[in-house]
Amino acid sequence: DGPLGSPPMADRPRRLTARDLIALVLDDGSWTSWDTPPVRSGISEEYAAELAEAAARSGEDESVLTGEASLRGRRVAVLVSEFGFLAGSIGRASADRIVAGIERATDAGLPLVAAPVSGGTRMQEGTPAFVQMVRISQAVAAHKAAGLPYLVYLRHPTTGGVMASWGSLGHVTVAEPGALVGFLGPRVYSALYGKDFPEGVQTSENLYARGIVDGVVAPEEIADILDRALTILMAPRSGVPALPLPAELAEEQVPDVETWDAVTRSRRADRPGVRRLLKYAASDVVPLNGTGQGEQDPGLLIALARFGQAPCVFLGQDRRGQTADHPMGPQALREARRGFRLASELGLPLVTVIDTQGAALSPEAENGGLAGEIARCLAELVSLPAPTLCLMLGEGNGGGALAFLPADRVVAAQHAWLSPLPP
């Protein structure tokens, strides 16, 4: 078996080296290294011997490789950890390399792909290594502030300061199947508290179920998901050609309908919802998952999408996920606010879709701060720097619907409605 809290070794794929992953994901022959030999000073002979042994064993001079390559013909910057070099740990020299790589990607206007695998910061260097996570996080924040994508693939294992810094800052984050992913290393927990850490918590699959990562993706599928995400994230924001309206629709007059007829039609179980909308109207869709902070609500669908050639962050209230037992709760609105931040950081238009029987009316919703989440959604939407579009697709009950309404343009489908209380 593997470390406590992770799946048995037999259930995990073979750990790929940094070079293996580069060869698997990036276009053949496109890799160009940005690395220079690490500069080390003031280290003990014992530590120098450890570094020399790690280099000989792994074939690398440090625990991370940086460079650029093409991915399906698109130029990208890349950070890849090498677990074979002192368990992928980060010291001063590797941190300098990471920061330099991030800053070079930012200056070049390149999307940045990171594939960490690490036990955390390097204990041989103590606190000076530990605080390097601040510098790395600062560089990532500056890259994102420049409106450039930062995409993360968490590998087995990713723990400690690495997970608590550049491993958790992605616009989109996916993880390797069966990977041990978390802050606290199970062995550290056992040493500190004299008991084993509960199994099944620090796994990719559990993090996905909790809305912390966007997907669990095998290494062989990484190129596909990165290509789909970057097709949307790097699409032009202006000068997008309009789609021609079919002649039969251009001439069609939408008749007025009785209000109660609209209400009853909107409540039909067989009426198409937000998933059908994406299936027939979107040209590309990359589903996201949760708030990234431990919450997920099936009543909200969050995705990156393109309609025609126009990219957007998509937030749709999903009728299929809203039931009498699980109405849309405050966590769905916190998930929506993650979408607002993505649109703002990446300069992407935001599309919201209203289709809800109403937000949860329960003690749990009150304890979760439902009213405050509605207020924060309204405040953030009216001040969002990105273009916004709201589609009223069906039912629009109460504050749960109002939270998605403010937009530069509001379009209503036939039989859609908005009301403070359910008619």
Side-chain angles (χ1 to χ4, degrees), residues 291 295-297 299-300 315 317 328-341 356 359-360 368-378 380 399-404:
T291 60
E295 292 183 296
Q296 188 266 354
D297 194 309
L300 180 74
L315 299 172
Q317 292 173 337
M328 191 180 70
Q331 60 269 32
L333 301 183
R334 286 189 277 272
E335 194 170 349
R337 290 173 58 213
R338 177 199 174 192
F340 301 168
R341 290 191 296 273
T356 181
L370 178 62
E373 288 303 326
I374 294 172
R376 283 182 279 274
C377 281
L378 295 174
E380 291 179 20
L402 186 67
F404 282 56

Side-chain angles (χ1 to χ4, degrees), residues 263-295:
V263 171
T264 56
R265 285 174 181 266
S266 72
R267 290 174 173 171
R268 285 178 50 167
D270 62 345
R271 177 177 58 82
V274 69
R275 292 176 183 271
R276 193 76 63 84
L277 171 69
L278 285 175
K279 179 179 180 180
Y280 289 105
S283 51
D284 292 289
V285 179
V286 176
L288 304 180
N289 176 60
T291 60
Q293 299 171 333
E295 292 183 296

Side-chain angles (χ1 to χ4, degrees), residues 113-168:
V113 176
V117 54
S118 175
T121 56
R122 195 166 294 169
M123 293 300 100
Q124 294 92 329
E125 298 184 29
T127 301
F130 179 57
V131 298
Q132 297 308 309
M133 299 305 102
V134 178
R135 296 177 58 226
I136 296 172
S137 298
Q138 183 181 28
V140 171
H143 183 82
K144 294 167 69 174
L148 296 168
Y150 178 55
L151 311 179
V152 176
Y153 183 50
L154 301 171
R155 297 150 63 206
H156 172 75
T158 304
T159 62
V162 171
M163 184 60 185
S165 57
W166 54 293
S168 294

Side-chain angles (χ1 to χ4, degrees), residues 343 348-352 380-391 404-411:
L348 284 169
L350 177 75
V351 174
T352 63
E380 291 179 20
L381 271 177
V382 297
S383 58
L384 199 71
T388 52
L389 170 69
C390 172
L391 169 63
F404 282 56
L405 183 68
D408 302 325
R409 298 287 186 274
V410 179
V411 179

